[in-house]
mmCIF file with all atom_site columns, all heavy atoms in Angstrom:
data_model
loop_
_atom_site.group_PDB
_atom_site.id
_atom_site.type_symbol
_atom_site.label_atom_id
_atom_site.label_alt_id
_atom_site.label_comp_id
_atom_site.label_asym_id
_atom_site.label_entity_id
_atom_site.label_seq_id
_atom_site.pdbx_PDB_ins_code
_atom_site.Cartn_x
_atom_site.Cartn_y
_atom_site.Cartn_z
_atom_site.occupancy
_atom_site.B_iso_or_equiv
_atom_site.pdbx_formal_charge
_atom_site.auth_seq_id
_atom_site.auth_comp_id
_atom_site.auth_asym_id
_atom_site.auth_atom_id
_atom_site.pdbx_PDB_model_num
ATOM   1   N N   . HIS A 1 109 ? 13.658 59.606 -48.816 1.00 97.00 ? 109 HIS A N   1
ATOM   2   C CA  . HIS A 1 109 ? 14.266 60.666 -48.313 1.00 97.00 ? 109 HIS A CA  1
ATOM   3   C C   . HIS A 1 109 ? 13.278 61.722 -47.903 1.00 97.00 ? 109 HIS A C   1
ATOM   4   O O   . HIS A 1 109 ? 13.413 62.480 -46.924 1.00 97.00 ? 109 HIS A O   1
ATOM   5   C CB  . HIS A 1 109 ? 15.249 61.329 -49.461 1.00 97.00 ? 109 HIS A CB  1
ATOM   6   C CG  . HIS A 1 109 ? 15.917 62.558 -48.878 1.00 97.00 ? 109 HIS A CG  1
ATOM   7   N ND1 . HIS A 1 109 ? 17.086 62.579 -48.145 1.00 97.00 ? 109 HIS A ND1 1
ATOM   8   C CD2 . HIS A 1 109 ? 15.705 63.879 -49.208 1.00 97.00 ? 109 HIS A CD2 1
ATOM   9   C CE1 . HIS A 1 109 ? 17.374 63.814 -47.928 1.00 97.00 ? 109 HIS A CE1 1
ATOM   10  N NE2 . HIS A 1 109 ? 16.644 64.646 -48.578 1.00 97.00 ? 109 HIS A NE2 1
ATOM   11  N N   . HIS A 1 113 ? 12.215 63.855 -44.379 1.00 98.00 ? 113 HIS A N   1
ATOM   12  C CA  . HIS A 1 113 ? 11.975 65.253 -44.063 1.00 98.00 ? 113 HIS A CA  1
ATOM   13  C C   . HIS A 1 113 ? 10.578 65.321 -43.288 1.00 98.00 ? 113 HIS A C   1
ATOM   14  O O   . HIS A 1 113 ? 10.341 66.206 -42.490 1.00 98.00 ? 113 HIS A O   1
ATOM   15  C CB  . HIS A 1 113 ? 11.928 65.999 -45.403 1.00 98.00 ? 113 HIS A CB  1
ATOM   16  C CG  . HIS A 1 113 ? 13.294 66.447 -45.888 1.00 98.00 ? 113 HIS A CG  1
ATOM   17  N ND1 . HIS A 1 113 ? 14.227 67.147 -45.114 1.00 98.00 ? 113 HIS A ND1 1
ATOM   18  C CD2 . HIS A 1 113 ? 14.013 66.165 -47.036 1.00 98.00 ? 113 HIS A CD2 1
ATOM   19  C CE1 . HIS A 1 113 ? 15.361 67.310 -45.849 1.00 98.00 ? 113 HIS A CE1 1
ATOM   20  N NE2 . HIS A 1 113 ? 15.240 66.789 -46.928 1.00 98.00 ? 113 HIS A NE2 1
ATOM   21  N N   . SER A 1 134 ? 12.723 71.701 -50.098 1.00 96.00 ? 134 SER A N   1
ATOM   22  C CA  . SER A 1 134 ? 14.148 71.425 -50.064 1.00 96.00 ? 134 SER A CA  1
ATOM   23  C C   . SER A 1 134 ? 14.798 71.813 -51.364 1.00 96.00 ? 134 SER A C   1
ATOM   24  O O   . SER A 1 134 ? 14.294 72.589 -52.183 1.00 96.00 ? 134 SER A O   1
ATOM   25  C CB  . SER A 1 134 ? 14.415 69.877 -49.752 1.00 96.00 ? 134 SER A CB  1
ATOM   26  O OG  . SER A 1 134 ? 14.077 69.185 -50.884 1.00 96.00 ? 134 SER A OG  1
ATOM   27  N N   . GLY A 1 135 ? 15.906 71.387 -51.619 1.00 94.00 ? 135 GLY A N   1
ATOM   28  C CA  . GLY A 1 135 ? 16.730 71.838 -52.806 1.00 94.00 ? 135 GLY A CA  1
ATOM   29  C C   . GLY A 1 135 ? 16.122 71.084 -54.078 1.00 94.00 ? 135 GLY A C   1
ATOM   30  O O   . GLY A 1 135 ? 16.303 71.493 -55.216 1.00 94.00 ? 135 GLY A O   1
ATOM   31  N N   . GLY A 1 136 ? 15.584 69.794 -53.811 1.00 92.00 ? 136 GLY A N   1
ATOM   32  C CA  . GLY A 1 136 ? 15.218 69.007 -54.911 1.00 92.00 ? 136 GLY A CA  1
ATOM   33  C C   . GLY A 1 136 ? 13.629 68.880 -55.051 1.00 92.00 ? 136 GLY A C   1
ATOM   34  O O   . GLY A 1 136 ? 13.074 68.535 -56.084 1.00 92.00 ? 136 GLY A O   1
ATOM   35  N N   . GLY A 1 162 ? 14.163 75.517 -52.694 1.00 97.00 ? 162 GLY A N   1
ATOM   36  C CA  . GLY A 1 162 ? 15.585 75.640 -52.193 1.00 97.00 ? 162 GLY A CA  1
ATOM   37  C C   . GLY A 1 162 ? 16.347 75.882 -53.486 1.00 97.00 ? 162 GLY A C   1
ATOM   38  O O   . GLY A 1 162 ? 17.289 76.672 -53.470 1.00 97.00 ? 162 GLY A O   1
ATOM   39  N N   . GLU A 1 163 ? 15.903 75.395 -54.546 1.00 96.00 ? 163 GLU A N   1
ATOM   40  C CA  . GLU A 1 163 ? 16.536 75.583 -55.998 1.00 96.00 ? 163 GLU A CA  1
ATOM   41  C C   . GLU A 1 163 ? 16.315 77.097 -56.287 1.00 96.00 ? 163 GLU A C   1
ATOM   42  O O   . GLU A 1 163 ? 17.314 77.655 -56.846 1.00 96.00 ? 163 GLU A O   1
ATOM   43  C CB  . GLU A 1 163 ? 15.915 74.644 -56.868 1.00 96.00 ? 163 GLU A CB  1
ATOM   44  C CG  . GLU A 1 163 ? 16.535 74.453 -58.275 1.00 96.00 ? 163 GLU A CG  1
ATOM   45  C CD  . GLU A 1 163 ? 15.655 73.576 -59.157 1.00 96.00 ? 163 GLU A CD  1
ATOM   46  O OE1 . GLU A 1 163 ? 14.705 72.998 -58.703 1.00 96.00 ? 163 GLU A OE1 1
ATOM   47  O OE2 . GLU A 1 163 ? 16.020 73.404 -60.326 1.00 96.00 ? 163 GLU A OE2 1
ATOM   48  N N   . PHE A 1 165 ? 16.105 79.565 -54.155 1.00 98.00 ? 165 PHE A N   1
ATOM   49  C CA  . PHE A 1 165 ? 17.077 80.229 -53.261 1.00 98.00 ? 165 PHE A CA  1
ATOM   50  C C   . PHE A 1 165 ? 18.549 80.042 -53.865 1.00 98.00 ? 165 PHE A C   1
ATOM   51  O O   . PHE A 1 165 ? 19.232 81.070 -54.049 1.00 98.00 ? 165 PHE A O   1
ATOM   52  C CB  . PHE A 1 165 ? 17.070 79.664 -51.896 1.00 98.00 ? 165 PHE A CB  1
ATOM   53  C CG  . PHE A 1 165 ? 15.998 80.342 -50.946 1.00 98.00 ? 165 PHE A CG  1
ATOM   54  C CD1 . PHE A 1 165 ? 14.900 79.758 -50.715 1.00 98.00 ? 165 PHE A CD1 1
ATOM   55  C CD2 . PHE A 1 165 ? 16.457 81.614 -50.383 1.00 98.00 ? 165 PHE A CD2 1
ATOM   56  C CE1 . PHE A 1 165 ? 13.955 80.360 -49.752 1.00 98.00 ? 165 PHE A CE1 1
ATOM   57  C CE2 . PHE A 1 165 ? 15.511 82.248 -49.576 1.00 98.00 ? 165 PHE A CE2 1
ATOM   58  C CZ  . PHE A 1 165 ? 14.298 81.611 -49.269 1.00 98.00 ? 165 PHE A CZ  1
ATOM   59  N N   . ASP A 1 166 ? 18.793 78.820 -54.282 1.00 95.00 ? 166 ASP A N   1
ATOM   60  C CA  . ASP A 1 166 ? 20.298 78.615 -54.883 1.00 95.00 ? 166 ASP A CA  1
ATOM   61  C C   . ASP A 1 166 ? 20.380 79.401 -56.249 1.00 95.00 ? 166 ASP A C   1
ATOM   62  O O   . ASP A 1 166 ? 21.445 80.003 -56.408 1.00 95.00 ? 166 ASP A O   1
ATOM   63  C CB  . ASP A 1 166 ? 20.379 77.090 -55.163 1.00 95.00 ? 166 ASP A CB  1
ATOM   64  C CG  . ASP A 1 166 ? 20.427 76.337 -53.796 1.00 95.00 ? 166 ASP A CG  1
ATOM   65  O OD1 . ASP A 1 166 ? 20.700 76.977 -52.759 1.00 95.00 ? 166 ASP A OD1 1
ATOM   66  O OD2 . ASP A 1 166 ? 20.260 75.125 -53.865 1.00 95.00 ? 166 ASP A OD2 1
ATOM   67  N N   . PRO A 1 177 ? 26.111 76.848 -50.760 1.00 83.00 ? 177 PRO A N   1
ATOM   68  C CA  . PRO A 1 177 ? 24.644 76.910 -51.100 1.00 83.00 ? 177 PRO A CA  1
ATOM   69  C C   . PRO A 1 177 ? 24.009 78.074 -50.796 1.00 83.00 ? 177 PRO A C   1
ATOM   70  O O   . PRO A 1 177 ? 24.188 78.862 -49.896 1.00 83.00 ? 177 PRO A O   1
ATOM   71  C CB  . PRO A 1 177 ? 24.177 75.679 -50.023 1.00 83.00 ? 177 PRO A CB  1
ATOM   72  C CG  . PRO A 1 177 ? 25.087 75.722 -48.930 1.00 83.00 ? 177 PRO A CG  1
ATOM   73  C CD  . PRO A 1 177 ? 26.358 76.137 -49.503 1.00 83.00 ? 177 PRO A CD  1
ATOM   74  N N   . GLY A 1 178 ? 23.113 78.481 -51.718 1.00 93.00 ? 178 GLY A N   1
ATOM   75  C CA  . GLY A 1 178 ? 22.526 79.826 -51.785 1.00 93.00 ? 178 GLY A CA  1
ATOM   76  C C   . GLY A 1 178 ? 21.580 80.209 -50.702 1.00 93.00 ? 178 GLY A C   1
ATOM   77  O O   . GLY A 1 178 ? 21.513 81.324 -50.343 1.00 93.00 ? 178 GLY A O   1
ATOM   78  N N   . GLY A 1 179 ? 20.792 79.237 -50.218 1.00 96.00 ? 179 GLY A N   1
ATOM   79  C CA  . GLY A 1 179 ? 19.715 79.563 -49.228 1.00 96.00 ? 179 GLY A CA  1
ATOM   80  C C   . GLY A 1 179 ? 20.283 80.448 -48.042 1.00 96.00 ? 179 GLY A C   1
ATOM   81  O O   . GLY A 1 179 ? 19.802 81.548 -47.910 1.00 96.00 ? 179 GLY A O   1
ATOM   82  N N   . PRO A 1 180 ? 21.238 79.863 -47.244 1.00 97.00 ? 180 PRO A N   1
ATOM   83  C CA  . PRO A 1 180 ? 21.611 80.560 -45.935 1.00 97.00 ? 180 PRO A CA  1
ATOM   84  C C   . PRO A 1 180 ? 22.234 81.973 -46.431 1.00 97.00 ? 180 PRO A C   1
ATOM   85  O O   . PRO A 1 180 ? 22.275 82.933 -45.748 1.00 97.00 ? 180 PRO A O   1
ATOM   86  C CB  . PRO A 1 180 ? 22.707 79.748 -45.380 1.00 97.00 ? 180 PRO A CB  1
ATOM   87  C CG  . PRO A 1 180 ? 22.532 78.382 -45.952 1.00 97.00 ? 180 PRO A CG  1
ATOM   88  C CD  . PRO A 1 180 ? 21.680 78.522 -47.255 1.00 97.00 ? 180 PRO A CD  1
ATOM   89  N N   . GLU A 1 183 ? 19.613 84.402 -47.377 1.00 98.00 ? 183 GLU A N   1
ATOM   90  C CA  . GLU A 1 183 ? 19.027 84.911 -46.238 1.00 98.00 ? 183 GLU A CA  1
ATOM   91  C C   . GLU A 1 183 ? 19.763 85.881 -45.484 1.00 98.00 ? 183 GLU A C   1
ATOM   92  O O   . GLU A 1 183 ? 19.280 86.895 -45.077 1.00 98.00 ? 183 GLU A O   1
ATOM   93  C CB  . GLU A 1 183 ? 18.630 83.720 -45.279 1.00 98.00 ? 183 GLU A CB  1
ATOM   94  C CG  . GLU A 1 183 ? 18.038 84.035 -43.897 1.00 98.00 ? 183 GLU A CG  1
ATOM   95  C CD  . GLU A 1 183 ? 17.693 82.910 -42.945 1.00 98.00 ? 183 GLU A CD  1
ATOM   96  O OE1 . GLU A 1 183 ? 18.135 81.843 -43.195 1.00 98.00 ? 183 GLU A OE1 1
ATOM   97  O OE2 . GLU A 1 183 ? 16.704 83.260 -42.242 1.00 98.00 ? 183 GLU A OE2 1
ATOM   98  N N   . GLY A 1 267 ? 12.724 70.186 -44.631 1.00 98.00 ? 267 GLY A N   1
ATOM   99  C CA  . GLY A 1 267 ? 13.636 70.356 -45.696 1.00 98.00 ? 267 GLY A CA  1
ATOM   100 C C   . GLY A 1 267 ? 14.373 71.558 -45.438 1.00 98.00 ? 267 GLY A C   1
ATOM   101 O O   . GLY A 1 267 ? 13.953 72.479 -44.517 1.00 98.00 ? 267 GLY A O   1
ATOM   102 N N   . GLY A 1 268 ? 15.381 71.822 -46.261 1.00 97.00 ? 268 GLY A N   1
ATOM   103 C CA  . GLY A 1 268 ? 16.313 72.947 -45.993 1.00 97.00 ? 268 GLY A CA  1
ATOM   104 C C   . GLY A 1 268 ? 15.834 74.288 -45.862 1.00 97.00 ? 268 GLY A C   1
ATOM   105 O O   . GLY A 1 268 ? 16.221 74.999 -45.054 1.00 97.00 ? 268 GLY A O   1
ATOM   106 N N   . VAL A 1 269 ? 14.652 74.590 -46.550 1.00 98.00 ? 269 VAL A N   1
ATOM   107 C CA  . VAL A 1 269 ? 14.183 75.847 -46.553 1.00 98.00 ? 269 VAL A CA  1
ATOM   108 C C   . VAL A 1 269 ? 13.337 76.139 -45.295 1.00 98.00 ? 269 VAL A C   1
ATOM   109 O O   . VAL A 1 269 ? 13.314 77.273 -44.893 1.00 98.00 ? 269 VAL A O   1
ATOM   110 C CB  . VAL A 1 269 ? 13.151 76.060 -47.836 1.00 98.00 ? 269 VAL A CB  1
ATOM   111 C CG1 . VAL A 1 269 ? 12.457 77.450 -47.742 1.00 98.00 ? 269 VAL A CG1 1
ATOM   112 C CG2 . VAL A 1 269 ? 13.969 75.940 -49.069 1.00 98.00 ? 269 VAL A CG2 1
ATOM   113 N N   . ALA A 1 271 ? 14.741 75.918 -42.637 1.00 98.00 ? 271 ALA A N   1
ATOM   114 C CA  . ALA A 1 271 ? 15.676 76.563 -41.750 1.00 98.00 ? 271 ALA A CA  1
ATOM   115 C C   . ALA A 1 271 ? 15.735 78.167 -41.827 1.00 98.00 ? 271 ALA A C   1
ATOM   116 O O   . ALA A 1 271 ? 16.338 78.753 -41.070 1.00 98.00 ? 271 ALA A O   1
ATOM   117 C CB  . ALA A 1 271 ? 17.132 76.056 -42.137 1.00 98.00 ? 271 ALA A CB  1
ATOM   118 N N   . ASN A 1 272 ? 14.869 78.540 -42.860 1.00 98.00 ? 272 ASN A N   1
ATOM   119 C CA  . ASN A 1 272 ? 14.891 79.957 -43.237 1.00 98.00 ? 272 ASN A CA  1
ATOM   120 C C   . ASN A 1 272 ? 13.877 80.708 -42.176 1.00 98.00 ? 272 ASN A C   1
ATOM   121 O O   . ASN A 1 272 ? 12.837 80.418 -42.062 1.00 98.00 ? 272 ASN A O   1
ATOM   122 C CB  . ASN A 1 272 ? 14.411 80.236 -44.526 1.00 98.00 ? 272 ASN A CB  1
ATOM   123 C CG  . ASN A 1 272 ? 14.372 81.638 -44.978 1.00 98.00 ? 272 ASN A CG  1
ATOM   124 O OD1 . ASN A 1 272 ? 13.482 82.421 -44.658 1.00 98.00 ? 272 ASN A OD1 1
ATOM   125 N ND2 . ASN A 1 272 ? 15.396 82.009 -45.736 1.00 98.00 ? 272 ASN A ND2 1
ATOM   126 N N   . CYS A 1 294 ? 16.251 70.183 -40.212 1.00 98.00 ? 294 CYS A N   1
ATOM   127 C CA  . CYS A 1 294 ? 15.601 70.604 -41.506 1.00 98.00 ? 294 CYS A CA  1
ATOM   128 C C   . CYS A 1 294 ? 16.463 70.301 -42.691 1.00 98.00 ? 294 CYS A C   1
ATOM   129 O O   . CYS A 1 294 ? 16.000 69.689 -43.612 1.00 98.00 ? 294 CYS A O   1
ATOM   130 C CB  . CYS A 1 294 ? 15.369 72.223 -41.444 1.00 98.00 ? 294 CYS A CB  1
ATOM   131 S SG  . CYS A 1 294 ? 14.276 72.680 -40.082 1.00 98.00 ? 294 CYS A SG  1
ATOM   132 N N   . THR A 1 295 ? 17.771 70.785 -42.681 1.00 97.00 ? 295 THR A N   1
ATOM   133 C CA  . THR A 1 295 ? 18.666 70.363 -43.645 1.00 97.00 ? 295 THR A CA  1
ATOM   134 C C   . THR A 1 295 ? 18.977 68.849 -43.526 1.00 97.00 ? 295 THR A C   1
ATOM   135 O O   . THR A 1 295 ? 18.766 68.267 -42.539 1.00 97.00 ? 295 THR A O   1
ATOM   136 C CB  . THR A 1 295 ? 19.930 71.278 -43.657 1.00 97.00 ? 295 THR A CB  1
ATOM   137 O OG1 . THR A 1 295 ? 20.377 71.208 -42.293 1.00 97.00 ? 295 THR A OG1 1
ATOM   138 C CG2 . THR A 1 295 ? 19.623 72.630 -43.990 1.00 97.00 ? 295 THR A CG2 1
ATOM   139 N N   . ASP A 1 296 ? 19.543 68.316 -44.575 1.00 97.00 ? 296 ASP A N   1
ATOM   140 C CA  . ASP A 1 296 ? 19.820 66.863 -44.650 1.00 97.00 ? 296 ASP A CA  1
ATOM   141 C C   . ASP A 1 296 ? 20.492 66.460 -43.416 1.00 97.00 ? 296 ASP A C   1
ATOM   142 O O   . ASP A 1 296 ? 21.471 67.061 -43.070 1.00 97.00 ? 296 ASP A O   1
ATOM   143 C CB  . ASP A 1 296 ? 20.496 66.480 -45.975 1.00 97.00 ? 296 ASP A CB  1
ATOM   144 C CG  . ASP A 1 296 ? 19.564 66.608 -47.052 1.00 97.00 ? 296 ASP A CG  1
ATOM   145 O OD1 . ASP A 1 296 ? 18.447 66.672 -46.943 1.00 97.00 ? 296 ASP A OD1 1
ATOM   146 O OD2 . ASP A 1 296 ? 19.974 66.506 -48.255 1.00 97.00 ? 296 ASP A OD2 1
HETATM 147 O O1  . KG4 B 2 .   ? 16.758 69.451 -47.439 1.00 76.59 ? 1   KG4 B O1  1
HETATM 148 P P1  . KG4 B 2 .   ? 18.104 69.890 -47.948 1.00 76.59 ? 1   KG4 B P1  1
HETATM 149 O O2  . KG4 B 2 .   ? 19.319 69.972 -47.013 1.00 76.59 ? 1   KG4 B O2  1
HETATM 150 O O3  . KG4 B 2 .   ? 18.564 69.014 -49.240 1.00 76.59 ? 1   KG4 B O3  1
HETATM 151 C C1  . KG4 B 2 .   ? 17.770 68.474 -50.142 1.00 76.59 ? 1   KG4 B C1  1
HETATM 152 O O4  . KG4 B 2 .   ? 17.088 67.400 -49.914 1.00 76.59 ? 1   KG4 B O4  1
HETATM 153 O O5  . KG4 B 2 .   ? 17.525 69.155 -51.233 1.00 76.59 ? 1   KG4 B O5  1
HETATM 154 O O6  . KG4 B 2 .   ? 17.872 71.258 -48.551 1.00 76.59 ? 1   KG4 B O6  1
HETATM 155 C C2  . KG4 B 2 .   ? 18.942 72.035 -49.236 1.00 76.59 ? 1   KG4 B C2  1
HETATM 156 C C3  . KG4 B 2 .   ? 18.173 73.252 -49.727 1.00 76.59 ? 1   KG4 B C3  1
HETATM 157 C C4  . KG4 B 2 .   ? 19.236 74.003 -50.574 1.00 76.59 ? 1   KG4 B C4  1
HETATM 158 O O7  . KG4 B 2 .   ? 18.600 74.489 -51.740 1.00 76.59 ? 1   KG4 B O7  1
HETATM 159 C C5  . KG4 B 2 .   ? 19.546 75.182 -49.721 1.00 76.59 ? 1   KG4 B C5  1
HETATM 160 O O8  . KG4 B 2 .   ? 19.799 76.411 -50.292 1.00 76.59 ? 1   KG4 B O8  1
HETATM 161 C C6  . KG4 B 2 .   ? 18.196 75.300 -48.965 1.00 76.59 ? 1   KG4 B C6  1
HETATM 162 O O9  . KG4 B 2 .   ? 17.774 74.066 -48.709 1.00 76.59 ? 1   KG4 B O9  1
HETATM 163 N N1  . KG4 B 2 .   ? 18.345 76.089 -47.575 1.00 76.59 ? 1   KG4 B N1  1
HETATM 164 C C7  . KG4 B 2 .   ? 17.932 77.302 -47.458 1.00 76.59 ? 1   KG4 B C7  1
HETATM 165 C C8  . KG4 B 2 .   ? 18.404 77.650 -46.116 1.00 76.59 ? 1   KG4 B C8  1
HETATM 166 N N2  . KG4 B 2 .   ? 19.309 76.679 -45.554 1.00 76.59 ? 1   KG4 B N2  1
HETATM 167 C C9  . KG4 B 2 .   ? 19.180 75.701 -46.555 1.00 76.59 ? 1   KG4 B C9  1
HETATM 168 N N3  . KG4 B 2 .   ? 17.034 78.080 -48.045 1.00 76.59 ? 1   KG4 B N3  1
HETATM 169 C C10 . KG4 B 2 .   ? 16.754 79.294 -47.393 1.00 76.59 ? 1   KG4 B C10 1
HETATM 170 N N4  . KG4 B 2 .   ? 17.180 79.669 -46.222 1.00 76.59 ? 1   KG4 B N4  1
HETATM 171 C C11 . KG4 B 2 .   ? 18.019 78.884 -45.417 1.00 76.59 ? 1   KG4 B C11 1
HETATM 172 N N5  . KG4 B 2 .   ? 18.429 79.320 -44.307 1.00 76.59 ? 1   KG4 B N5  1
#
Side-chain angles (χ1 to χ4, degrees):
H109 183 77
H113 278 306
S134 70
E163 193 178 358
F165 270 102
D166 293 336
E183 176 174 20
V269 177
N272 185 281
C294 294
T295 47
D296 285 348

